[in-house]
C-alpha cells in the first residue's frame, strides 16, 4: 500500500516526529569546525502544552495576586489559540499576525477576529488600522512575541481583553476599559503582564516548579548524549545560554550517565544574548562547586570542563580558535540566537522549530486544499486571458475570490485558531520571512542532525525568482496560451 | 514549429522586450485607486549603454581635471563589467557582490577577481575578509551602488584601482597606493568620485548634455501617453520625482502631443526621496511659467495642472484623498522608491528593472546549465543516501563540487563580468532579496502594465518553504528513496 | 568680643548648622504655587558618617562573599577620603576630580595621588592622561559618582586598587592586576561593585538594616512637620521619590504625631527619576493598606492621602493644576532631581547639599589662606606690569607659583583627602558648575526654608562677568596702575 | 582730573578700542606651544555695520527675487535691533533671548515686544510659552543665531514678521499668515531665508561683493602681521578656517608686505568645523598655484608654506607635534570654534567678541544704574529682616520691583533694542553662559594679545560661590544685621 508522507519521514516508536533537516541556504557540514548550542528549547526541550500551561497558570495567578479580578482565574491555557511570532499592539490590545512588511494578516481583539470594513461597530480592522498596516519599527508600541516562552503571555493578553470586554462592570474604550475613576489601559495591562513575567523569571518561580516535576515538563531523549558525543569527535562543541549556572546544572543532570560538562569544550552561561553577539560583557569563570562567579577574568588557555559566565561571541571565537563562518550555531530564538549571530557575526545557523511537527502534518494532510488553491489560481488566470489595459470587460471573480478566502481560512484553522506559524494562505508571516532569511538550516529538533553524516552537503532547493519561474515552470501548453494572450493584447494603436 | 520562450513573451518589432509583469505578492489591480510614478529610469528611460557611457566620460574627465593622471583618460566604459547593486569597500577599494546576510559572493580588486585562500599574495578574499562576510550595517565603510545612475561610478572605481595597481610609479598597500610622500587612499578616491558625481548633478552638466542630444540618450516610446491616459480614466495618477521642475519639464516635452502635466492629477518635483516617505519637507507650489518656487504653502483644493515642490507621502495621500494601501507606486530605485514606500507607508510597489531583459534572455538560453546544476544536486544527494552521523565513510565529492563551481561561473559570465544582478549560482544577491521583499510586482518597464486589464488580479506564485517543498515537490520515487535512507539511518543504538 | 562667621549664621543648641539659603538665580517665593520634595537625603536625612559606614561595610562584605580576598575585610570606611562628584575611570581604576570641561584637577590611584610628568614610573597623570583631560561624554568609560549614596562605593574603589597594588601576589598592569591566569581588570572590579550595590538595593538589605536601627542612622528633626505644615497653608505640596511605598511608609513613621501622608497633596513613589522628567511611566494607585499597586490607572480628581506609583512630571502638573515654573522642587540629586527638572521642565530648583556645613566652616576658618591667594595674585600681576608681547624679559615666578600650589593644597586638605566638593584652589569642580547652573537656590537642608517668609524674594548676588569686574571692582589705585601699564606697553611700532 | 574707565583701557588714536584680555579660567601663556586662529571675524575683521548691511541687502533682494512681495525691499538694516545669540522659534516666528536653562528673557514678534499675561490678545508671551521656558534641545524647532554672520538673517526674520503682520492682505495666525489659499508658515519663511543664506555663500555672491570693495568692508590693521610675527618667534602658529582656499588667499592679500602663508607653520582651509573637532575629513594638499585640491593625501613631514584642505584637530596635533592642552585656539564662533575645541579636545580657547567694545562702554557709562540696582537689592533685603516662614506679614515690594524692572529695561536699551549680548538685568544670557564655560580668555580682538608678554600668567578673578560670597563680601555691619535677623527668626516653637 501507499506510504503517507508522515510514514516517509518518521518511523518506529516516535512516528510523529519528522526526521529531516530543511535547508534555506546550502551548507557544507564538512567545513563546520565548531558546533554551538543554546540550551532552553534547543537541548532542554519542554513538553508542550504542559510547560506552557504551567507558565500560563503562574502568570495568571501572579496577576490576580497583583489585584486583577478573581474571575481571571477561570481562564485555562488553550494550546490551540496562540501562535508564536504574533505582535501585540500595546495601544489597542490587539494581537496581530503580520507579514515581513507589516501588513496585517490576522487581527484579534480578545478572542474575537476583526475583519475589514464592517460598518456597525468600531471592532473592524479598518477602524484600528485604516491602512491594514503597521510600522513595525515602532517597538515602543508593537511588541513581537518571538519565543516559545512568550506563548503563555500571548494567550493571557487575549484572556484579559476577553474578560474586560465582556465584563458588565467595565466600559469599552479604544485604548482600554473604564470602571468608575479607574482606567485599565491596554498599555498598563501589557506592563503588568511583562512585570509578572519578569517576576516569574527573576524569582526563579517557573524554574523551581519545572525542576520539581522534571518528568512532567521536560523531554529526556537518550539520543542527545549520542549526538553530542559524535559531534565532539569531529568538531569543537560549546554551549551558550542566557540561563544561569545553577539552572543549567540542574537541568543537564537529566542526563546522568556522564558529567554533562564533559560533552562540551566550552560552556558559557549568563550570555545575555543578543548583547552577546555585539559588545558582550566581561567574561568570568564560574566556580562549579558553589555556582558563584570567580572574581577577575580568566586569561589562560581553554581548560576542559570550565564554565564561564558572560563574554561575547568574539571571545568564544578566540577561546576556541575558530572563525564565525566555521561555526554552526543551533538555537530556537529567531532574534536572539539566529538573526543576531548571522547578521553581526556571519555564523552558520540552525533554527530549532518544534512547531514544525504540526506544520508538516497539516501540510501533508491538507495537500488537497493547497491543490485547490493552485487550481483556483489557474482558473483565475484564464479569465483574464483575452484582456489588456484597453479592455472594458471586467470578469466577475467574486465567487472565486470567496472560495479562495474560504479555503485559506479552512487551512488556517487546521493549524490552530491563529493559523500557522509560517503562513496565512499564500502569504508568509514575519516569522517565516526571518526563518528564510537568517536560518541556514532548520528542523523540529537538533537531534535530526543524527540522520546526516558529518561530511554532508546540505543543498538548498533552487528557489526561482518569479520571472525565472515564469520561464521554467510553465508547461508547454501554458506557455502557448500565454503567448496567444500576450500576442493578442499587445497590438496597441497609438 | 516550437516557439522559444523569447518568442512567447516578446513579439513584433521589439522582439527583445519581454512583456510580462512578475509577481512577488498578490495584488488586486482593481483595488488600486491611485498610481504614482517616479520619473528617471521609470517614465524617462535612458538608452543603455549610451547614457552610462556619457556619465562615465564626464565623471572620468572631471577626475582628471581634479588632478588625476592623464592616463586615466584612456579608460572607456565597458557595459559588460558593472552590475547594479554591488557594494564598494572604501577601506580596501574592492567591489563586492553580497547576499542579503553580508556573505561575499564575488570580490574584485580593479578588474582582478579575488579568490579564497591563495597563499602567495595578499590578493585573496581571506586576506581582506577572513570570514568572507561584511557587516553591511557599517554604512560608513560600505557603500551600496543601488541605482542605475551608479553604474558609471561603479566602473570608475574598478578603473582607478586597476590603473594605480598596474602603474609602476605607485606602490600597492592594503588601504591605497603610495607615491613618494603622497598616499592615494581608497577612501580619498571614493570621496573624489562621489564629489565629482555630486558636481555633475549639482551643476547640471549631465542633464545639459542629455538634453542636447535627446535622441541619442532617451527612449521615446509612443505607448507611454497611452498608458498614462488609460490609467487616468480609472484612477488618480501622480508623479513624484527628485528631479527639479526644469529638468522634468524639459524631459517630458519629449511627448509633444499634449501638455505632459495634463496626464497627472498631481505633479511633485524635488521630492527628496527617501526623506519624502518619512518627515518630508515643506510643500511649495511651482510657478510653471518661470520654474521658480512660489512662496508660502498652497492650502486649497487640488488644482489640475499645478506642480508642487517638496512635500511628503502623507501630504500626497491627503491631497489625493487616498490611503497608502490604495496606491501603486512605480519606480526603479530599490531603496528610495520601493523599500521606503513599502516599509514606512505600506504602499503597493512596482519595481522597474531594465536589466531583466538580459536576465530573462540568459535564463532562457542557458536553461540547460541550470538543468545540469539540478542534476548535479540530485547526484550529490544520492551519494549520502546510506550514511548518517555515525558513518565513518566520506564520499569524495570534490569532482562534483568543481563541476558545480564551473557551471555556476559559466552561468555568471553569460550575464556579464560581475554576473547577474540577481543571483550567483543558486544564491540570491542582496538586490534580489530586496526585490523579493519590497516589490509587490516588477517588470522590465512600466509599459508592460498595458498588457493587463485594470481589473487584473496579479497572483503571486505559491512559493513553498523548504519543508513544504520537501513534501510537495518530491516525486513518489524520490520520496521512497528518501524514506529508505532515513529508515536505514535512524536506528540509533544508545 | 568679635563674633565669628559661624556664630552669625548658626546659633543655640545646633551651633554647627548654618541657617542660610544661598541663591544662584533670583526666585520670588511668593510666586511659588507648589513645593515638591525628594525623600532620601532631602526629607529623610541620614547620619553621616554612620550611614556611609554601614553602606561601605555591607558592600565590602558582599564583595568578599563574591570571592574577593578576605584581606579586604580589613578596610574600614574613612569619611575623610571620598568627596562626592568624583569620576571613576573604569579603564585605569583612577578616581578623578574634574572641572566642567573635563580637565583633571586631582587624580588618585588607590590612595596614592598622581602628579604631573614624573619620569620614573607609570604612576603619573601624564602617563594615563597626556592631555590632563577626559572626554566626559564617554559615559561607557567614565562613571560619575554623583550622589551621597555613591560615597561608600567611591571609597571602596580606592580600597580595592590599594589592596591589589600592594599585594605581592598580584602584578600591576595599566588596566588591572594579574595573578597567574587570572586578570582582575579595573572594569570587572567596577562591574562587581556596581552589581553588589544593586544587590544591596534590590534585596533591600541596606534599607532593612537602616530601619532596624533608625536612631543610629536617621536624623529626626521636629522642625520638618513644622515646615511641611506651614508650606501646606500657602501652597500645594508633593513628594516624588524613587523609593518604593513600603520604605517611604516606614521611614516617614519617624514623625509619629500625624499620618505623614496628610502633609502632602500628592505622594508619588517609584518615580524612576530622571525618566520621570522625560516620558515617565504609567501612573498607578498604591493600595496603602497592602503596599501593592492597584491595577489600572486612576483618572479621577486628586484625592487627598492617595499614594501613586510611577507617572511623570507632566502628570504631576496636571493633577495639581500647576505649571512647571510655579513649582519649587527640593532634592539632593544634582542630576536626577535638579538638572533634569530644570532642563526638561523649567521647574524652580532647590538643591540640598549637606556637605555645605563643612564647606562653610572651612571657608570661614581658612579665610586667611584665601586672602593670601588673593595677595599672591596681585603680586603676580605687578611683576608683568611693564611688559608686553615684544618684551624679552621674563619674570621668574616659580617661587610664587609654588607658594600658590602649597596654599591651594593646604586649603584642599582642610576639606578632606580629596578636597572640597566644590573647588580645587580657584577652579570650580564639575559639581560646583552644575550646582551653579541648575540649582536656583541651595542650602545644607530644606529646613532652612523655615527662616524665610513665604513672600521672600531670593535675590541672586550680582555676579559680574570678568570684563565687567575689570571695570567695577578695581580700586582707583589699581585702575591707575593698570592704566599706566597699558599705556606704556601699547605703543607698538609697526 | 579723574580718568574715566574708557580712558583707562583705551588710548590714543583708537580711543574706542579696549585693550584688555579678560580671563574666565587661569591660563599660563608660557605653557602654550602652539597658537591656532580662525580666519573670518578673527583675523579677517569686517566693518560693522557696513558688512552686515551688505549681507542684509543681498539676502533681502534674494528673497524678493524668490517671490516675496516687493514691499520687503523697503526694509533697511538697523544695527541697533539684532543682538547675536538670539533663538528663532520656527513654529511661531518669535525671536527669543534666553538664559542657559531655556528661560525666556525677551521675546519679540516682528518688532513688537511680547510681555507676560496680557489678557486682550494672543500676543503675550504666556500665550506662546505658558511656562516662559523652551526646551532648547529641540533643535528641529529652535534655531540659535550664534555667529556674527547670522546678524543680517536675525534682522530679516523680524522684518518679514513685521511686514506680514501689518499687511492688510494677510490674516494673522499663530503659525503664520494666510492670504487666500496661500499659507505663509513661519517655518517656510525660515526655510526660505536659510536657503537664501546658503545661496549667497555657495554662489560666492557675498564674498565677491566683499572682495570688490575691500576698503569698505574689511578692517586692515597693521598690527596683525606684528602679532603673528611675534608669536611665530615663540611658538607654532596655524590657521584653521572653514573658508576655501581662494577666499582665504584673496582676503589675506590685504597684508601685502609678505606672503601671508609665511606667517603660519600650517594652513588648513575647508575645515568643516565643528566636524573638524570630531572625526574630521580626509586631509588633502592644496595646489597653491591653481587653488585646486591635489589628489591623494600628503604623508610626509610638515613643509612650510603648504596649504591643506580638510583634516581634523587630531591631524593638526600630529603634524605640529603638540598636545591639545598646549594649543591656544583663537576664534569668534562660540559653538564651532570654542565649545567644540574645548569639550572634545581640551584645547585652550580665546573667544573674540567684537561686541565687547560696546558692552564695555555701556557698562562704564551706566555704572550708576547698576549701583541703583544694588541699592534696591539691599533695600529689599532689609524689608524681610524680621520675618520668617511663620510670619503673616507681607511687605509690599511692588514699588521696588517696578523700579528694578524700569532700571533693567533702561540698561537694556542702552545696548540696543534687544539689549546686551550677555545679560538682561542681573540674568546672564545663554551666550554669556557659554562664554564663561568654554572660553578660557576673551577680548574684543585677538590683537590685544600684543599687550601681554608671552610669559604672562592670565589669572582668573576669584569668583566666589554664593555661600562663599555670603561669608566673604559682607561687611561687618551687614553680618551683624543678618545675624540679628536670623537669631530673631530662628526660634521656632515646635
Amino acid at each position: 500500500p501507499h506510504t503517507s508522507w508522515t510514514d516517509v519521514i518518521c518511523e518506529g516508536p516516535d512516528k510523529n516526529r519528522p526526521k529531516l533537516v530543511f535547508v534555506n541556504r546550502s551548507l557544507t557540514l564538512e567545513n563546520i569546525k565548531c558546533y554551538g548550542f543554546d540550551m532552553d528549547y534547543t537541548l532542554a526541550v519542554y513538553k508542550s502544552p504542559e510547560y506552557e500551561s504551567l507558565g500560563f497558570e503562574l502568570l495568571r495567578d501572579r496577576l490576580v495576586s497583583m489585584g486583577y479580578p478573581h474571575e481571571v482565574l477561570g481562564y485555562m491555557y488553550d494550546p490551540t489559540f496562540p501562535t508564536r511570532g504574533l505582535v501585540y499592539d500595546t495601544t489597542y490590545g490587539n494581537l496581530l499576525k503580520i507579514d515581513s512588511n507589516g501588513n496585517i494578516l490576522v487581527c484579534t481583539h480578545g478572542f474575537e477576529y476583526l475583519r475589514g470594513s464592517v460598518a456597525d461597530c468600531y471592532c473592524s480592522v479598518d477602524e484600528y488600522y485604516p491602512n491594514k498596516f503597521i510600522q513595525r519599527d515602532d517597538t515602543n508600541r508593537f511588541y513581537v512575541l518571538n519565543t516559545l516562552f512568550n506563548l503563555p503571555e500571548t494567550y493571557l493578553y487575549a484572556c484579559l481583553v476577553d474578560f474586560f470586554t465582556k465584563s458588565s462592570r467595565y466600559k469599552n474604550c479604544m485604548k482600554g476599559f473604564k470602571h468608575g475613576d479607574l482606567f485599565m489601559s491596554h498599555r498598563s495591562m501589557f506592563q503588568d503582564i511583562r512585570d509578572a513575567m519578569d517576576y516569574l523569571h527573576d524569582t526563579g518561580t517557573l524554574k523551581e516548579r519545572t525542576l520539581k516535576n522534571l518528568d512532567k515538563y521536560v523531554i529526556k531523549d537518550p539520543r542527545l548524549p549520542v549526538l553530542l558525543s559524535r559531534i565532539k569527535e569531529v568538531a569543537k562543541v560549546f554551549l551558550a545560554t542566557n540561563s544561569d549556572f545553577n539552572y543549567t546544572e540542574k537541568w543537564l543532570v537529566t542526563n546522568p550517565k556522564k558529567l554533562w560538562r564533559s560533552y562540551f569544550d566550552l560552556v558559557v552561561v549568563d550570555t545575555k544574548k543578543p548583547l552577546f553577539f555585539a559588545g558582550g560583557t566581561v567574561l568570568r569563570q564560574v566556580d562549579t562547586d558553589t555556582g558563584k562567579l570567580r572574581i577577575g577574568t580568566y586569561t589562560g588557555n581553554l581548560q576542559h570542563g570550565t564554565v564561564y559566565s558572560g563574554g561575547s561571541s568574539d571571545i568564544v571565537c578566540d577561546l576556541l580558535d575558530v572563525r564565525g563562518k566555521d561555526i554552526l550555531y543551533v538555537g530556537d530564538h529567531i532574534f536572539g540566537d539566529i538573526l543576531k549571530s548571522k547578521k553581526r557575526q556571519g555564523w552558520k545557523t540552525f533554527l530549532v522549530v518544534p512547531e514544525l511537527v504540526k506544520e508538516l502534518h497539516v501540510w501533508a494532510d491538507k495537500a488537497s486544499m493547497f491543490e485547490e488553491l493552485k487550481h483556483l489560481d489557474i482558473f483565475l488566470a484564464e479569465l483574464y486571458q483575452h484582456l489588456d489595459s484597453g479592455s472594458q470587460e471586467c470578469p466577475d471573480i467574486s465567487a472565486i475570490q470567496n472560495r479562495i478566502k474560504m479555503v485559506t481560512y479552512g487551512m488556517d484553522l487546521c493549524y490552530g485558531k491563529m493559523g500557522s506559524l509560517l503562513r496565512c494562505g499564500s502569504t508568509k508571516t514575519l516569522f517565516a520571512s526571518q526563518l528564510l532569511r537568517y536560518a541556514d538550516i532548520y528542523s523540529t529538533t537538533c537531534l535530526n542532525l543524527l540522520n546526516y553524516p558529518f561530511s554532508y552537503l546540505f543543498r538548498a532547493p533552487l528557489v526561482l525568482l518569479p520571472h525565472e519561474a515564469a520561464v521554467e515552470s510553465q508547461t508547454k501548453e501554458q506557455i502557448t496560451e500565454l503567448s496567444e494572450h500576450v500576442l493578442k493584447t499587445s497590438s496597441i494603436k497609438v
Side-chain angles (χ1 to χ4, degrees), chain A:
Chain A
H2 235 54
T3 46
S4 85
W5 170 81
T6 42
D7 295 323
V8 170
I9 57 172
C10 311
E11 48 68 62
D14 24 45
K15 218 180 134 94
N16 292 317
R17 217 161 45 202
K19 290 283 180 289
L20 293 181
V21 171
F22 305 104
V23 187
N24 289 322
R25 253 178 313 279
S26 297
L27 175 72
T28 311
L29 215 52
E30 198 165 12
N31 292 342
I32 296 303
K33 302 201 177 92
C34 180
Y35 289 74
F37 291 90
D38 178 37
M39 188 177 77
D40 287 297
Y41 278 111
T42 297
L43 297 183
V45 183
Y46 299 101
K47 285 187 189 162
S48 178
E50 289 82 358
Y51 187 67
E52 286 85 49
S53 288
L54 173 64
F56 176 81
E57 284 156 27
L58 291 172
L59 205 53
R60 179 198 63 196
D61 296 356
R62 172 76 192 157
L63 280 186
V64 171
S65 83
M66 280 164 69
Y68 277 76
H70 280 76
E71 291 100 320
V72 171
L73 291 175
Y75 288 94
M76 304 301 290
Y77 186 67
D78 174 3
T80 68
F81 181 82
T83 295
R84 184 158 51 130
L86 300 180
V87 173
Y88 186 67
D89 177 351
T90 63
T91 300
Y92 293 138
N94 298 324
L95 284 167
L96 306 172
K97 188 170 173 175
I98 61 171
D99 73 7
S100 66
N101 289 318
N103 295 304
I104 296 171
L105 307 176
V106 177
C107 171
T108 60
H109 190 75
F111 300 134
E112 188 185 359
Y113 292 78
L114 302 189
R115 283 151 207 284
S117 37
V118 183
D120 53 345
C121 72
Y122 62 72
C123 286
S124 87
V125 175
D126 277 13
E127 194 75 26
Y128 289 115
Y129 315 98
N131 219 10
K132 270 194 188 157
F133 164 82
I134 62 165
Q135 277 196 12
R136 196 155 65 78
D137 296 347
D138 185 358
T139 50
N140 193 35
R141 173 170 171 190
F142 298 108
Y143 184 76
V144 185
L145 296 146
N146 250 331
T147 74
L148 290 157
F149 282 121
N150 291 135
L151 286 174
E153 190 180 347
T154 305
Y155 189 60
L156 194 49
Y157 290 124
C159 293
L160 288 191
V161 171
D162 180 68
F163 170 75
F164 286 109
T165 303
K166 291 179 178 160
S167 167
S168 57
R169 299 200 302 276
Y170 290 85
K171 186 173 164 292
N172 286 333
C173 310
M174 280 294 275
K175 296 191 172 181
F177 307 96
K178 215 167 155 55
H179 173 38
D181 283 338
L182 194 79
F183 185 65
M184 301 289 307
S185 69
H186 293 299
R187 175 163 283 279
S188 76
M189 289 192 284
F190 169 74
Q191 199 52 57
D192 285 339
I193 292 185
R194 293 266 71 218
D195 289 351
M197 199 75 186
D198 289 345
Y199 175 85
L200 292 189
H201 280 114
D202 294 351
T203 57
T205 312
L206 178 61
K207 298 194 162 174
E208 196 183 307
R209 288 285 296 270
T210 309
L211 292 170
K212 263 192 195 156
N213 208 341
L214 269 181
D215 285 343
K216 182 170 179 192
Y217 297 121
V218 174
I219 296 169
K220 289 191 194 182
D221 196 314
R223 295 176 303 166
L224 183 56
V226 178
L227 176 65
L228 293 173
S229 301
R230 286 190 181 171
I231 293 178
K232 204 152 183 305
E233 284 167 30
V234 298
K236 289 165 182 170
V237 197
F238 71 90
L239 176 73
T241 174
N242 282 1
S243 286
D244 62 22
F245 173 74
N246 289 322
Y247 186 69
T248 306
E249 182 85 0
K250 274 173 198 148
W251 173 78
L252 284 157
V253 179
T254 55
N255 294 298
K257 290 192 184 158
K258 194 180 164 189
L259 186 61
W260 65 271
R261 278 178 248 134
S262 65
Y263 292 113
F264 302 97
D265 293 285
L266 176 64
V267 171
V268 195
V269 298
D270 309 320
T271 47
K272 301 207 175 160
K273 292 175 283 185
L275 180 59
F276 181 75
F277 292 109
T281 55
V282 170
L283 184 82
R284 298 292 180 82
Q285 225 177 310
V286 177
D287 182 328
T288 52
D289 293 328
T290 64
K292 283 187 186 173
L293 296 192
R294 293 242 169 93
I295 60 165
T297 310
Y298 180 75
T299 60
N301 291 325
L302 189 63
Q303 286 180 320
H304 203 78
T306 310
V307 179
Y308 299 87
S309 163
S312 69
S313 56
D314 286 339
I315 293 176
V316 163
C317 287
D318 283 353
L319 283 174
L320 292 171
D321 192 24
V322 290
R323 289 175 301 185
K325 64 170 179 143
D326 303 328
I327 296 173
L328 178 63
Y329 188 66
V330 189
D332 69 291
H333 193 319
I334 186 71
F335 184 81
D337 289 331
I338 303 303
L339 181 151
K340 282 293 171 182
S341 66
K342 171 62 74 187
K343 206 168 173 181
R344 305 269 326 200
Q345 304 294 341
W347 288 15
K348 306 296 182 218
T349 51
F350 180 146
L351 182 68
V352 172
V353 189
E355 294 98 324
L356 269 189
V357 176
K358 191 178 198 179
E359 298 275 334
L360 280 164
H361 273 278
V362 174
W363 188 257
D365 282 4
K366 305 299 167 189
S368 62
M369 296 175 93
F370 200 74
E371 282 302 306
E372 186 179 350
L373 276 185
K374 280 204 282 192
H375 284 112
L376 289 167
D377 255 27
I378 294 169
F379 191 65
L380 265 180
E382 282 167 4
L383 284 177
Y384 289 97
Q385 280 245 12
H386 306 281
L387 307 175
D388 76 352
S389 66
S391 318
Q392 299 304 325
E393 193 185 331
C394 177
D396 183 1
I397 58 168
S398 56
I400 306 175
Q401 282 187 310
N402 278 338
R403 181 69 201 153
I404 288 173
K405 270 187 201 166
M406 272 184 59
V407 176
T408 300
Y409 187 62
M411 282 183 71
D412 264 27
L413 284 188
C414 301
Y415 291 99
K417 288 177 183 146
M418 293 297 282
S420 158
L421 170 66
L422 300 165
R423 56 167 66 241
C424 176
S426 61
T427 310
K428 289 184 199 73
T429 59
L430 170 60
F431 189 93
S433 299
Q434 293 183 325
L435 174 145
L436 281 167
R437 194 163 169 204
Y438 299 111
D440 292 314
I441 56 180
Y442 66 101
S443 188
T444 52
T445 160
C446 62
L447 294 172
N448 285 346
L449 276 175
L450 279 169
N451 305 325
Y452 299 86
F454 288 110
S455 60
Y456 197 70
L457 191 130
F458 286 108
R459 280 203 63 87
L462 293 155
V463 180
L464 300 184
L465 290 156
H467 65 283
E468 296 167 344
V471 180
E472 194 79 12
S473 71
Q474 308 282 347
T475 66
K476 293 287 173 274
E477 285 73 23
Q478 284 169 330
I479 287 175
T480 313
E481 281 167 26
L482 205 111
S483 155
E484 282 164 17
H485 159 64
V486 170
L487 284 166
K488 275 176 206 138
T489 57
S490 58
S491 50
I492 296 151
K493 278 93 203 164
V494 183

